[in-house]
Every structure is written in structure tokens, then in C-alpha cells.
Amino acid sequence: MSTRLDIRPSPIAGQWYPGDPRKLSESVDRYISEAKLPRLDGAVVAIITPHAGHVYSGPVAGYAFAALLGLQPDLVAVVSPMHYPYADALLTTAHEAYETPLGTIPVDSEAVSQVSAQLVDKLGFGLASIRHDREHSLEIELPFLQRSLGKPFKLLPIMVRDQGSRVTKALGESLAAVLRSRDALLVASTDLSHFFPQKTARMLDAEMLRCIESFDPEAVIQAEEQGRGFACGRGALAAVLWAARDLGADSVRVLNHATSGDVTGDYSQVVGYGAAVVLKSPPKVE
């Protein structure tokens, strides 16, 4: 006898991205197919991708997800910021699955529990489970994953409120400990600078992208603390970089950058979007 999954209801389908499955598939496929990637040497361990409405950041996100074409991970850890004022430092869903117009994605409850247990050992607290959250920055990536990956997968969803080094480094280490024995992929969801004029945004984003490409999660956090660059998901981004480094990744390649002004034509106050891929070099042949 089958039981129905407890599915998280989507608060953004039909608003942040198309609610019609055919239109959603076509738009996501177009963003991915129009991305022109350089040659990528090594295995993809993680991607970094924006999380605005698809019409705004989809063309940039397409570059990150184009790097995943042909991959078939069993588990995908999507780490995003939590924009709403929950009291807990790190959160996950209490539901058994996420749903988009393209289908249902089950949550890997065992992996969630394992990461939470690792965090308790390191920090004294784990992942707080929440229901009916309205966070867009995690869900917005799911249709891209559904169209780019070669088979169904389970989800490890984590939303970050505390964006400091102590918590996010512990999260990265905990993710690596759990994912090391799994066929898994990491996704960091973050936009870049918010509501600066285009010229200023490009300068701030260039500094944040430099920190990302230097594979330095501490620098990512310090750049915002010092006002040199901004990323609303800097904690999620840093955690994924720490995890990827522990998993053997050794380089980051920035693939694309744009701003909302490049879509709307309004350059007075823009939001920056960047896409990058984290790679593990192939073994050297002696």
C-alpha cells in the first residue's frame, strides 16, 4: 500500500518562474542551451548560481546548469540563504518532498539527519526543520536541476541564516563528511550586489567573483563584511566552497556575470548575478 508524500507547496510557481510545465521546460532548456561554456577540465563538484526570477537571472543560471548536462548524481545538496527572519541559524524543510510544475523531488531524510548530527557535534545545534516556508532561493534552482540532470535525484535542502565563518565552515565540513560516500552534487544559491548603479555593481561583483574564483570561502565572507563585494547568499556560498574543498575540488571557474539592468534596461539600481563551477582536477597520469 503506497502512501502519499508530504509535499512542500510551492509559493512561487507561476510567479518567479512559469507555472505551466511546457513553458517552464522550454524556457529552462533555452537558458541552458544558449550558454556557451569554455572547456572544463575536471569533475564538477559544485556549481554557484543566482536565484532571482528566471526572467532576470535565468540567462546567467543557464551557464551553471549547462555544466551539469550528462551528470547523474543520486543526491543534490542545494544550499541557499534564508531571507525570512527565522531565529535558527540553519534550516531545512520538514516536508518529505519539494514539487515544481516539472514533478516531485523527494528529500533525502537520512542525509538531512546525518548533516544535522554532524552539526550538533561541531556547533551544539543542528538543522531546524520548518514547514510551509516561503523561501524562493532554494526552490528557484529545482526546475534547472530537473532539466539538466540525467536522472531523478534526491534533495538535501539547507537554508542559511547565520552567515558567519564559524557556522558556515562547520556546515561545509558537515556536508563534506556526509557527501563523501555518496554520488552527490553541491549547489550554492546566491545573487551578488543589490540595488547599486550598474557601474558600482560591476565593481563590487568583480571583487566578489575574484574571491570566488580564488576558492577562498573566508575571503567571500570578509569581502561583504568589509564592503568590498556583496552576495546575499555568502554563507551558503562559503559553506559550499568549504565542502567542495574537503571533497577534493581544487579550482573554481567563473562562467558568466550580468545584472538585472542587462535584462530590464534600467541601470540605476541593479542586482548582480554570477555563475561558476567548482572542479576537481583529473588524476595525473604518471
Side-chain angles (χ1 to χ4, degrees):
M1 180 173 135
S2 63
T3 57
R4 282 192 68 167
L5 288 174
D6 173 18
I7 296 174
R8 171 191 175 273
S10 170
I12 64 171
Q15 300 175 48
W16 290 67
Y17 59 77
D20 177 81
R22 180 183 61 81
K23 291 180 180 178
L24 178 57
S25 295
E26 289 175 353
S27 64
V28 168
D29 289 352
R30 184 177 71 255
Y31 295 137
I32 293 172
S33 66
E34 289 177 351
K36 306 303 179 188
L37 297 187
R39 176 176 170 174
L40 301 176
D41 295 319
V44 177
V45 177
I47 59 169
I48 298 158
T49 185
H51 59 232
H54 282 191
V55 68
Y56 298 107
S57 65
V60 174
Y63 277 78
F65 290 97
L68 305 185
L69 289 172
L71 299 185
Q72 298 186 1
D74 297 321
L75 176 63
V76 181
V78 180
V79 188
S80 78
M82 167 53 78
H83 289 88
Y84 293 87
Y86 287 89
D88 301 283
L90 299 169
L91 305 106
T92 190
T93 186
H95 297 283
E96 296 175 315
Y98 278 71
E99 188 168 56
T100 80
L102 303 182
T104 301
I105 306 172
V107 171
D108 191 323
S109 57
E110 181 179 358
V112 169
S113 296
Q114 289 172 342
V115 170
S116 193
Q118 290 277 337
L119 288 165
V120 170
D121 287 343
K122 297 176 186 298
L123 297 172
F125 61 85
L127 299 172
S129 296
I130 56 174
R131 296 181 61 81
H132 298 281
D133 72 275
R134 300 194 57 78
E135 182 54 50
H136 68 275
S137 62
L138 196 149
E139 180 190 337
I140 202 79
E141 316 299 0
L142 302 184
F144 276 98
L145 288 167
Q146 289 172 302
R147 296 302 294 176
S148 60
L149 296 179
K151 69 173 187 179
F153 58 93
K154 287 189 174 183
L155 183 66
L156 171 51
I158 297 176
M159 294 159 280
V160 178
R161 278 289 295 167
D162 186 326
Q163 305 207 66
S165 296
R166 174 176 172 268
V167 168
T168 55
K169 188 168 192 276
L171 175 57
E173 292 170 348
S174 299
L175 282 165
V178 172
L179 301 184
R180 190 168 288 116
S181 61
R182 303 288 301 271
D183 182 3
L185 173 74
L186 286 153
V187 176
S189 173
T190 186
D191 291 339
L192 300 177
S193 64
H194 280 57
F195 310 131
F196 291 95
Q198 176 87 344
K199 183 177 179 181
T200 303
R202 287 197 169 275
M203 179 183 66
L204 294 167
D205 291 353
E207 173 62 15
M208 183 58 76
L209 292 171
R210 185 194 67 76
C211 294
I212 291 169
E213 202 156 39
S214 69
F215 209 163
D216 189 344
E218 189 65 55
V220 164
I221 292 173
Q222 289 178 355
E224 175 135 352
E225 290 176 347
Q226 297 168 6
R228 295 180 288 107
F230 296 95
C232 66
R234 64 190 179 279
L237 168 57
V240 165
L241 291 177
W242 265 307
R245 199 162 65 182
D246 282 358
L247 291 169
D250 50 22
S251 68
V252 181
R253 184 83 178 264
V254 172
L255 302 174
N256 195 247
H257 171 263
T259 73
S260 58
D262 298 321
V263 175
T264 66
D266 179 359
Y267 296 107
S268 60
Q269 288 187 317
V270 304
V271 177
Y273 312 125
V277 61
V278 187
L279 301 166
K280 181 178 181 179
S281 297
K284 292 183 179 180
V285 178
E286 297 295 337

